[in-house]
Amino acid sequence: MALKCGIVGLPNVGKSTLFNALSGSKAQAENYPFCTIEPNQSVVEVPDQRLNKITEFIKPQKCIPTFVEFVDIAGLVKGASQGEGLGNQFLAHIRDCDAILQVLRCFDDENITHVSGKIDPVSDMEVIETELLLADLATVDKRHSHLVKQAKSGNAEMVAQRDFTAKVKAHLEDGKAVRTLEASLEEWELAADLHLITAKSIMYVANMDEAHFAGEASSSKEHLEKLKKNLPPGSELITISARMEAEIAELDENEQAEFLEDLGLKERGLNRLIQQAYKLLNLETYFTAGEKEVRAWTVPAGSSGPQAAGKIHSDFEKGFICAECYHCEDLFKHGSEAKIKEEGLLRTEGKDYTVKDGDVLFFRFNV
Protein backbone atom coordinates (compact mmCIF):
# COMPACT_ATOMS: atom_id res chain seq x y z
CA MET A 1 0.00 0.00 0.00
CA ALA A 2 1.38 3.40 -1.00
CA LEU A 3 2.42 5.83 1.70
CA LYS A 4 0.46 9.09 1.72
CA CYS A 5 1.11 12.71 2.70
CA GLY A 6 -1.98 14.48 4.03
CA ILE A 7 -2.34 18.21 3.25
CA VAL A 8 -3.80 19.75 6.42
CA GLY A 9 -4.74 23.25 7.56
CA LEU A 10 -7.56 25.64 8.41
CA PRO A 11 -10.14 26.45 5.70
CA ASN A 12 -9.08 28.88 2.96
CA VAL A 13 -5.34 28.71 3.52
CA GLY A 14 -4.63 27.34 0.02
CA LYS A 15 -4.65 23.56 0.57
CA SER A 16 -6.80 22.71 -2.46
CA THR A 17 -4.98 25.25 -4.66
CA LEU A 18 -1.71 23.57 -3.69
CA PHE A 19 -3.24 20.16 -4.38
CA ASN A 20 -4.39 21.36 -7.81
CA ALA A 21 -0.86 22.44 -8.61
CA LEU A 22 0.51 19.10 -7.41
CA SER A 23 -1.94 16.93 -9.27
CA GLY A 24 -3.35 18.96 -12.14
CA SER A 25 -6.65 17.29 -11.23
CA LYS A 26 -8.60 20.52 -10.72
CA ALA A 27 -9.76 19.64 -7.23
CA GLN A 28 -12.48 22.01 -6.08
CA ALA A 29 -11.00 25.17 -4.55
CA GLU A 30 -13.62 27.76 -3.64
CA ASN A 31 -13.77 30.62 -1.16
CA TYR A 32 -15.85 29.08 1.61
CA PRO A 33 -15.14 26.76 4.55
CA PHE A 34 -15.46 22.99 4.08
CA CYS A 35 -15.33 23.27 0.29
CA THR A 36 -13.42 19.97 0.44
CA ILE A 37 -15.35 17.33 2.39
CA GLU A 38 -14.26 14.01 0.94
CA PRO A 39 -10.47 13.99 0.59
CA ASN A 40 -9.05 14.32 -2.91
CA GLN A 41 -6.12 12.02 -3.69
CA SER A 42 -3.45 12.18 -6.36
CA VAL A 43 -0.32 10.19 -7.21
CA VAL A 44 2.39 12.69 -8.18
CA GLU A 45 5.67 12.13 -10.02
CA VAL A 46 8.77 12.70 -7.89
CA PRO A 47 11.17 15.05 -9.75
CA ASP A 48 14.61 13.44 -9.81
CA GLN A 49 17.34 14.81 -12.06
CA ARG A 50 19.39 11.65 -11.47
CA LEU A 51 16.83 9.62 -13.44
CA ASN A 52 17.14 11.92 -16.44
CA LYS A 53 20.92 11.97 -16.17
CA ILE A 54 21.14 8.16 -16.20
CA THR A 55 19.40 8.17 -19.60
CA GLU A 56 22.25 10.28 -20.99
CA PHE A 57 24.59 7.32 -20.48
CA ILE A 58 22.20 4.39 -20.88
CA LYS A 59 19.82 5.05 -23.78
CA PRO A 60 16.51 3.33 -22.93
CA GLN A 61 13.33 2.89 -24.94
CA LYS A 62 11.43 4.46 -22.06
CA CYS A 63 12.06 6.23 -18.77
CA ILE A 64 9.75 5.71 -15.78
CA PRO A 65 9.83 7.91 -12.64
CA THR A 66 8.62 7.02 -9.17
CA PHE A 67 5.64 8.61 -7.43
CA VAL A 68 4.31 9.83 -4.10
CA GLU A 69 0.66 10.16 -3.06
CA PHE A 70 -0.92 13.35 -1.69
CA VAL A 71 -4.30 13.69 0.01
CA ASP A 72 -6.17 17.01 0.20
CA ILE A 73 -8.01 16.92 3.54
CA ALA A 74 -10.85 19.29 4.43
CA GLY A 75 -10.04 22.30 6.60
CA LEU A 76 -9.99 21.77 10.34
CA VAL A 77 -11.47 24.36 12.68
CA LYS A 78 -11.28 25.07 16.40
CA GLY A 79 -13.32 22.39 18.16
CA ALA A 80 -12.68 19.73 15.51
CA SER A 81 -11.66 17.25 18.22
CA GLN A 82 -15.16 17.66 19.67
CA GLY A 83 -16.80 17.23 16.28
CA GLU A 84 -16.98 20.86 15.10
CA GLY A 85 -16.99 21.26 11.32
CA LEU A 86 -17.37 17.51 10.77
CA GLY A 87 -14.13 17.28 12.73
CA ASN A 88 -14.22 13.58 13.60
CA GLN A 89 -14.56 12.63 9.93
CA PHE A 90 -11.67 14.89 8.92
CA LEU A 91 -9.46 13.65 11.76
CA ALA A 92 -10.04 10.09 10.57
CA HIS A 93 -8.77 11.10 7.13
CA ILE A 94 -5.57 12.44 8.72
CA ARG A 95 -5.10 9.19 10.65
CA ASP A 96 -5.15 7.32 7.35
CA CYS A 97 -2.12 9.31 6.15
CA ASP A 98 1.51 8.53 6.95
CA ALA A 99 2.85 12.09 7.19
CA ILE A 100 1.42 15.60 7.39
CA LEU A 101 1.99 18.75 5.36
CA GLN A 102 0.51 21.58 7.42
CA VAL A 103 -0.30 24.55 5.17
CA LEU A 104 -0.16 27.94 6.90
CA ARG A 105 -1.49 31.07 5.25
CA CYS A 106 1.14 33.80 4.99
CA PHE A 107 -0.61 36.03 2.44
CA ASP A 108 -3.17 38.83 2.70
CA ASP A 109 -6.12 38.88 0.31
CA GLU A 110 -9.34 40.65 1.20
CA ASN A 111 -11.17 38.56 -1.40
CA ILE A 112 -10.38 35.31 0.43
CA THR A 113 -11.99 35.09 3.84
CA HIS A 114 -10.27 33.64 6.89
CA VAL A 115 -12.27 31.71 9.48
CA SER A 116 -10.81 33.78 12.33
CA GLY A 117 -11.06 37.08 10.47
CA LYS A 118 -7.32 37.76 10.57
CA ILE A 119 -4.10 36.49 8.97
CA ASP A 120 -1.93 34.96 11.68
CA PRO A 121 -0.07 31.77 10.72
CA VAL A 122 1.19 31.24 14.28
CA SER A 123 -2.35 31.30 15.67
CA ASP A 124 -3.50 29.00 12.85
CA MET A 125 -0.71 26.56 13.66
CA GLU A 126 -1.63 26.58 17.34
CA VAL A 127 -5.30 25.84 16.54
CA ILE A 128 -4.36 22.88 14.35
CA GLU A 129 -1.77 21.52 16.79
CA THR A 130 -4.20 21.82 19.71
CA GLU A 131 -6.97 19.98 17.88
CA LEU A 132 -4.64 17.17 16.85
CA LEU A 133 -3.31 16.89 20.41
CA LEU A 134 -6.83 16.75 21.85
CA ALA A 135 -7.86 14.12 19.32
CA ASP A 136 -4.88 11.95 20.27
CA LEU A 137 -5.50 12.51 23.96
CA ALA A 138 -9.09 11.28 23.60
CA THR A 139 -7.84 8.17 21.79
CA VAL A 140 -5.11 7.41 24.35
CA ASP A 141 -7.33 8.16 27.34
CA LYS A 142 -9.95 5.68 26.13
CA ARG A 143 -7.35 2.96 25.52
CA HIS A 144 -5.60 3.60 28.84
CA SER A 145 -8.86 3.22 30.79
CA HIS A 146 -9.40 -0.21 29.23
CA LEU A 147 -5.81 -1.25 29.88
CA VAL A 148 -5.95 -0.28 33.55
CA LYS A 149 -8.76 -2.84 34.01
CA GLN A 150 -7.11 -5.51 31.84
CA ALA A 151 -3.72 -5.15 33.56
CA LYS A 152 -5.24 -6.15 36.90
CA SER A 153 -4.98 -9.74 35.68
CA GLY A 154 -1.20 -9.40 35.84
CA ASN A 155 -0.76 -10.13 32.14
CA ALA A 156 2.72 -8.80 31.27
CA GLU A 157 1.72 -7.46 27.84
CA MET A 158 -1.29 -5.63 29.26
CA VAL A 159 0.87 -4.12 32.01
CA ALA A 160 3.44 -2.93 29.45
CA GLN A 161 0.73 -1.36 27.27
CA ARG A 162 -0.88 0.29 30.31
CA ASP A 163 2.41 1.82 31.40
CA PHE A 164 3.30 3.10 27.94
CA THR A 165 -0.14 4.61 27.27
CA ALA A 166 0.17 6.36 30.65
CA LYS A 167 3.49 7.77 29.45
CA VAL A 168 1.95 8.95 26.16
CA LYS A 169 -1.08 10.41 27.97
CA ALA A 170 1.13 12.47 30.30
CA HIS A 171 3.15 13.74 27.33
CA LEU A 172 0.01 14.87 25.50
CA GLU A 173 -1.44 16.47 28.65
CA ASP A 174 1.78 18.48 28.82
CA GLY A 175 0.90 19.89 25.38
CA LYS A 176 3.58 17.95 23.48
CA ALA A 177 3.18 16.07 20.21
CA VAL A 178 3.75 12.31 20.46
CA ARG A 179 6.51 12.53 17.81
CA THR A 180 8.68 14.31 20.43
CA LEU A 181 8.32 11.52 22.99
CA GLU A 182 11.47 9.49 23.65
CA ALA A 183 10.64 5.80 23.61
CA SER A 184 12.11 2.49 22.47
CA LEU A 185 11.06 0.73 19.28
CA GLU A 186 9.41 -1.94 21.42
CA GLU A 187 7.34 0.71 23.22
CA TRP A 188 6.23 2.31 19.93
CA GLU A 189 5.04 -1.08 18.74
CA LEU A 190 2.74 -1.28 21.78
CA ALA A 191 0.81 1.77 20.53
CA ALA A 192 1.09 1.27 16.77
CA ASP A 193 -2.59 0.36 16.34
CA LEU A 194 -3.69 3.68 17.89
CA HIS A 195 -2.59 5.54 14.72
CA LEU A 196 -1.84 8.68 16.70
CA ILE A 197 -1.88 11.80 14.55
CA THR A 198 0.80 13.75 16.42
CA ALA A 199 3.18 10.78 16.12
CA LYS A 200 3.32 11.32 12.34
CA SER A 201 6.18 13.21 10.71
CA ILE A 202 5.23 16.78 9.85
CA MET A 203 6.42 19.51 7.50
CA TYR A 204 5.14 23.08 7.61
CA VAL A 205 4.29 24.80 4.32
CA ALA A 206 4.20 28.60 4.37
CA ASN A 207 1.82 29.66 1.59
CA MET A 208 3.18 33.02 0.42
CA ASP A 209 1.88 35.56 -2.06
CA GLU A 210 3.36 35.80 -5.56
CA ALA A 211 4.99 39.17 -4.86
CA HIS A 212 7.34 37.55 -2.34
CA PHE A 213 8.92 35.33 -5.02
CA ALA A 214 9.05 38.21 -7.50
CA GLY A 215 11.21 40.16 -5.01
CA GLU A 216 8.51 42.77 -4.48
CA ALA A 217 7.32 44.29 -1.20
CA SER A 218 4.84 41.98 0.47
CA SER A 219 3.29 41.29 3.86
CA SER A 220 4.20 37.62 3.43
CA LYS A 221 7.74 38.22 4.67
CA GLU A 222 6.48 39.62 7.98
CA HIS A 223 4.13 36.66 8.47
CA LEU A 224 6.96 34.26 7.59
CA GLU A 225 9.44 35.76 10.05
CA LYS A 226 6.89 35.53 12.86
CA LEU A 227 6.16 31.93 11.94
CA LYS A 228 9.85 30.96 11.92
CA LYS A 229 10.27 32.28 15.47
CA ASN A 230 7.38 30.15 16.75
CA LEU A 231 7.87 26.82 14.98
CA PRO A 232 8.65 23.78 17.16
CA PRO A 233 12.44 23.20 17.42
CA GLY A 234 13.89 21.25 14.51
CA SER A 235 10.82 21.73 12.31
CA GLU A 236 10.97 21.40 8.53
CA LEU A 237 9.60 24.53 6.78
CA ILE A 238 9.19 25.16 3.08
CA THR A 239 7.90 28.33 1.39
CA ILE A 240 5.70 28.22 -1.68
CA SER A 241 3.03 30.23 -3.47
CA ALA A 242 0.21 27.78 -4.14
CA ARG A 243 -1.51 30.26 -6.47
CA MET A 244 1.64 30.86 -8.49
CA GLU A 245 2.36 27.12 -8.70
CA ALA A 246 -1.19 26.51 -9.94
CA GLU A 247 -0.65 29.16 -12.63
CA ILE A 248 2.68 27.61 -13.65
CA ALA A 249 0.99 24.22 -13.93
CA GLU A 250 -1.21 25.68 -16.70
CA LEU A 251 1.85 26.49 -18.87
CA ASP A 252 3.73 24.22 -21.23
CA GLU A 253 7.33 23.23 -20.44
CA ASN A 254 8.98 26.09 -22.37
CA GLU A 255 6.63 28.69 -20.89
CA GLN A 256 7.32 27.34 -17.40
CA ALA A 257 11.07 27.72 -17.94
CA GLU A 258 10.62 31.32 -19.14
CA PHE A 259 8.34 32.12 -16.19
CA LEU A 260 10.91 30.83 -13.68
CA GLU A 261 13.77 32.60 -15.44
CA ASP A 262 11.90 35.90 -15.27
CA LEU A 263 11.57 35.43 -11.51
CA GLY A 264 15.20 34.36 -11.14
CA LEU A 265 14.20 30.91 -9.87
CA LYS A 266 16.12 27.73 -10.76
CA GLU A 267 13.19 25.37 -10.22
CA ARG A 268 9.59 25.27 -9.12
CA GLY A 269 8.91 25.42 -5.41
CA LEU A 270 6.60 22.50 -6.04
CA ASN A 271 9.55 20.29 -6.96
CA ARG A 272 11.21 21.04 -3.64
CA LEU A 273 7.98 20.34 -1.78
CA ILE A 274 7.48 16.95 -3.48
CA GLN A 275 11.08 15.92 -2.81
CA GLN A 276 10.85 16.95 0.84
CA ALA A 277 7.51 15.16 1.24
CA TYR A 278 9.17 12.02 -0.16
CA LYS A 279 11.91 12.29 2.48
CA LEU A 280 9.31 13.03 5.16
CA LEU A 281 7.79 9.62 4.41
CA ASN A 282 11.27 8.12 4.96
CA LEU A 283 11.45 6.92 1.37
CA GLU A 284 14.46 6.41 -0.89
CA THR A 285 14.95 5.68 -4.59
CA TYR A 286 16.93 3.04 -6.37
CA PHE A 287 17.16 2.60 -10.14
CA THR A 288 17.13 -0.22 -12.66
CA ALA A 289 18.74 0.61 -15.98
CA GLY A 290 18.86 -1.15 -19.33
CA GLU A 291 18.09 -0.70 -23.01
CA LYS A 292 14.37 -1.39 -22.54
CA GLU A 293 13.85 1.06 -19.68
CA VAL A 294 15.45 3.16 -17.00
CA ARG A 295 13.19 3.21 -13.98
CA ALA A 296 13.07 4.69 -10.48
CA TRP A 297 11.74 2.52 -7.64
CA THR A 298 10.59 3.59 -4.19
CA VAL A 299 11.65 1.74 -1.04
CA PRO A 300 11.51 2.60 2.67
CA ALA A 301 14.90 3.79 3.91
CA GLY A 302 16.90 0.88 5.30
CA SER A 303 15.43 -1.74 2.95
CA SER A 304 17.44 -4.88 2.27
CA GLY A 305 18.34 -6.17 -1.19
CA PRO A 306 15.53 -8.78 -1.20
CA GLN A 307 12.98 -6.20 -0.02
CA ALA A 308 14.01 -3.86 -2.82
CA ALA A 309 13.76 -6.70 -5.32
CA GLY A 310 10.25 -7.44 -4.07
CA LYS A 311 9.16 -3.99 -5.26
CA ILE A 312 9.60 -5.26 -8.82
CA HIS A 313 7.98 -8.66 -8.26
CA SER A 314 7.38 -10.90 -5.25
CA ASP A 315 9.24 -13.72 -7.07
CA PHE A 316 12.37 -11.54 -7.10
CA GLU A 317 12.26 -11.34 -3.31
CA LYS A 318 11.45 -15.01 -2.73
CA GLY A 319 14.18 -16.27 -5.07
CA PHE A 320 16.73 -13.53 -4.39
CA ILE A 321 20.32 -14.68 -4.99
CA CYS A 322 22.24 -11.40 -5.16
CA ALA A 323 22.20 -7.88 -6.54
CA GLU A 324 24.80 -6.44 -8.89
CA CYS A 325 25.15 -2.87 -7.74
CA TYR A 326 26.81 0.49 -8.33
CA HIS A 327 25.83 4.01 -7.38
CA CYS A 328 24.46 6.40 -10.00
CA GLU A 329 27.21 8.89 -9.13
CA ASP A 330 29.73 6.30 -10.33
CA LEU A 331 27.98 6.29 -13.72
CA PHE A 332 27.99 10.09 -13.88
CA LYS A 333 31.70 10.16 -13.06
CA HIS A 334 32.95 7.34 -15.31
CA GLY A 335 30.40 7.51 -18.15
CA SER A 336 29.58 3.84 -18.72
CA GLU A 337 28.90 0.56 -16.97
CA ALA A 338 31.94 -0.92 -18.73
CA LYS A 339 34.18 1.72 -17.16
CA ILE A 340 32.55 1.14 -13.77
CA LYS A 341 33.52 -2.55 -14.04
CA GLU A 342 37.07 -1.61 -15.06
CA GLU A 343 37.36 0.61 -11.97
CA GLY A 344 36.17 -2.24 -9.75
CA LEU A 345 33.07 -0.30 -8.67
CA LEU A 346 30.50 -2.91 -9.69
CA ARG A 347 29.72 -4.90 -6.54
CA THR A 348 27.84 -8.11 -5.86
CA GLU A 349 25.70 -7.74 -2.74
CA GLY A 350 23.83 -10.45 -0.82
CA LYS A 351 20.68 -10.67 1.26
CA ASP A 352 22.05 -8.56 4.11
CA TYR A 353 22.86 -5.55 1.90
CA THR A 354 21.09 -2.31 2.84
CA VAL A 355 20.08 -0.47 -0.32
CA LYS A 356 21.30 3.12 -0.56
CA ASP A 357 19.48 6.04 -2.14
CA GLY A 358 20.74 6.36 -5.72
CA ASP A 359 21.87 2.74 -6.15
CA VAL A 360 21.55 1.17 -9.59
CA LEU A 361 20.64 -2.50 -9.11
CA PHE A 362 20.41 -5.63 -11.25
CA PHE A 363 18.86 -8.57 -9.41
CA ARG A 364 19.71 -12.22 -9.86
CA PHE A 365 17.07 -14.60 -8.59
CA ASN A 366 15.89 -18.18 -8.87
CA VAL A 367 12.15 -18.98 -8.94
Side-chain angles (χ1 to χ4, degrees), residues 93-151:
H93 294 152
I94 301 174
R95 284 193 185 92
D96 286 341
C97 294
D98 303 282
I100 296 170
L101 302 185
Q102 187 180 145
V103 180
L104 297 162
R105 181 171 168 177
C106 291
F107 67 89
D108 294 313
D109 189 331
E110 61 184 17
N111 296 315
I112 302 178
T113 59
H114 190 287
V115 289
S116 65
K118 62 177 181 178
I119 308 302
D120 186 345
V122 174
S123 174
D124 292 357
M125 177 178 65
E126 290 171 350
V127 169
I128 296 293
E129 300 286 345
T130 298
E131 294 306 321
L132 300 186
L133 281 167
L134 290 173
D136 276 355
L137 185 57
T139 299
V140 172
D141 196 36
K142 185 177 180 180
R143 173 64 64 86
H144 182 65
S145 296
H146 286 303
L147 288 169
V148 167
K149 296 174 184 176
Q150 293 174 318

Side-chain angles (χ1 to χ4, degrees), residues 65-342:
T66 192
F67 298 87
V68 64
E69 186 170 349
F70 290 91
V71 183
D72 178 22
I73 297 170
L76 289 173
V77 293
K78 190 172 183 179
S81 55
Q82 280 77 48
E84 290 293 327
L86 300 179
N88 291 332
Q89 181 182 350
F90 301 159
L91 290 166
H93 294 152
I94 301 174
R95 284 193 185 92
D96 286 341
C97 294
D98 303 282
I100 296 170
L101 302 185
Q102 187 180 145
V103 180
L104 297 162
R105 181 171 168 177
C106 291
F107 67 89
D108 294 313
D109 189 331
E110 61 184 17
N111 296 315
I112 302 178
T113 59
H114 190 287
V115 289
S116 65
K118 62 177 181 178
I119 308 302
D120 186 345
V122 174
S123 174
D124 292 357
M125 177 178 65
E126 290 171 350
V127 169
I128 296 293
E129 300 286 345
T130 298
E131 294 306 321
L132 300 186
L133 281 167
L134 290 173
D136 276 355
L137 185 57
T139 299
V140 172
D141 196 36
K142 185 177 180 180
R143 173 64 64 86
H144 182 65
S145 296
H146 286 303
L147 288 169
V148 167
K149 296 174 184 176
Q150 293 174 318
K152 289 179 180 178
S153 67
N155 180 283
E157 185 178 345
M158 293 298 104
V159 170
Q161 288 191 30
R162 178 202 63 191
D163 292 347
F164 185 59
T165 54
K167 185 177 178 179
V168 175
K169 184 171 179 282
H171 194 75
L172 288 164
E173 288 174 338
D174 201 27
K176 298 175 182 176
V178 177
R179 73 180 69 89
T180 65
L181 176 66
E182 292 186 9
S184 67
L185 181 60
E186 290 76 17
E187 285 179 309
W188 286 124
E189 289 175 350
L190 294 174
D193 65 333
L194 291 176
H195 304 291
L196 298 175
I197 299 171
T198 65
K200 300 178 189 298
S201 299
I202 189 168
M203 180 169 69
Y204 297 93
V205 181
N207 189 11
M208 316 287 281
D209 59 26
E210 297 168 74
H212 175 80
F213 293 97
E216 301 171 2
S218 125
S219 60
S220 279
K221 184 176 181 181
E222 182 181 338
H223 294 311
L224 179 63
E225 291 306 314
K226 182 180 177 183
L227 178 60
K228 285 180 177 178
K229 292 176 183 177
N230 289 276
L231 284 173
S235 295
E236 184 82 33
L237 173 69
I238 190 166
T239 58
I240 198 167
S241 169
R243 181 185 294 176
M244 184 175 76
E245 293 295 338
E247 291 172 356
I248 293 174
E250 299 284 344
L251 305 175
D252 64 33
E253 195 170 313
N254 290 333
E255 290 173 328
Q256 287 186 17
E258 290 176 10
F259 189 99
L260 293 173
E261 187 177 351
D262 288 344
L263 291 175
L265 301 175
K266 293 183 179 179
E267 66 172 345
R268 296 181 64 181
L270 209 59
N271 288 359
R272 291 183 290 108
L273 184 144
I274 296 168
Q275 290 161 350
Q276 289 303 113
Y278 192 71
K279 292 179 182 177
L280 192 69
L281 289 166
N282 199 31
L283 299 175
E284 293 182 344
T285 300
Y286 78 85
F287 304 98
T288 52
E291 291 182 1
K292 286 188 176 181
E293 68 174 34
V294 168
R295 182 166 183 164
W297 300 87
T298 294
V299 290
S303 293
S304 67
Q307 289 169 333
K311 290 294 178 180
I312 299 176
H313 196 285
S314 58
D315 285 348
F316 283 32
E317 182 171 6
K318 292 174 186 174
F320 181 92
I321 298 173
C322 66
E324 293 183 357
C325 173
Y326 63 86
H327 198 272
C328 65
E329 293 297 334
D330 297 330
L331 179 64
F332 305 155
K333 180 179 179 180
H334 297 288
S336 71
E337 290 184 337
K339 189 65 175 175
I340 288 172
K341 290 178 183 178
E342 285 180 26

